[in-house]
């Protein structure tokens, strides 16, 4: 079960939502050292090192929503609220207001 599970509605085409999800993934790759890949309509990611070491999850792109599931390692669970807030901010920035 995911430590963080966020679902955000959008009014974009699915292709545009996929493009924006990839922009988000690329930003997290640069900032946190996440490794990610597309698997159908899912972006699967993990952090093998750095500040987010041990974090893994997925971004599911649907026709009218994007869902982010993140499994935090034990050491980062104390920061769950802060991380969840940042993910919501990033989703709003790439998808627009909920």
């Amino acid at each position: 079960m995911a430590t963080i599970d966020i679902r955000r509605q959008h009014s974009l085409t699915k292709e545009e939502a996929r493009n924006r999800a990839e922009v988000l993934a690329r930003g997290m790759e640069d900032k946190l050292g996440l490794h990610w890949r597309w698997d159908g309509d899912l972006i699967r990611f993990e952090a093998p090192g750095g500040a987010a070491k041990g974090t893994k999850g997925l971004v599911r792109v649907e026709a009218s929503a994007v869902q982010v599931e993140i499994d935090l390692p034990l050491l980062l669970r104390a920061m769950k609220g802060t991380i969840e807030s940042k993910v919501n901010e990033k989703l709003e920035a790439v998808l627009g207001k909920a």
Side-chain angles (χ1 to χ4, degrees):
M1 176 174 227
T3 311
I4 296 174
D5 189 348
I6 300 169
R7 185 175 178 84
R8 174 70 62 105
Q9 297 297 120
H10 67 77
S11 59
L12 306 167
T13 65
K14 189 172 184 181
E15 187 62 32
E16 184 59 24
R18 281 178 57 95
N19 291 340
R20 293 185 187 194
E22 187 166 319
V23 167
L24 179 64
R26 288 184 190 282
M28 295 298 101
E29 178 180 41
D30 294 341
K31 186 173 183 176
L32 299 173
L34 294 180
H35 293 178
W36 63 274
R37 64 181 168 78
W38 279 106
D39 182 8
D41 287 332
L42 299 176
I43 294 176
R44 297 189 183 276
F45 63 86
E46 62 182 312
K53 183 177 180 177
T55 301
K56 60 184 175 180
L58 61 87
V59 178
R60 177 178 289 113
V61 180
E62 300 172 352
S64 62
V66 171
Q67 182 175 8
V68 178
E69 296 178 15
I70 303 171
D71 291 319
L72 295 173
L74 186 60
L75 292 175
L76 290 178
R77 289 185 185 171
M79 297 178 58
K80 177 185 174 185
T82 302
I83 295 167
E84 194 166 12
S85 177
K86 291 292 185 190
V87 171
N88 275 310
E89 285 176 19
K90 294 293 184 186
L91 284 172
E92 185 172 315
V94 297
L95 296 176
K97 293 213 182 261

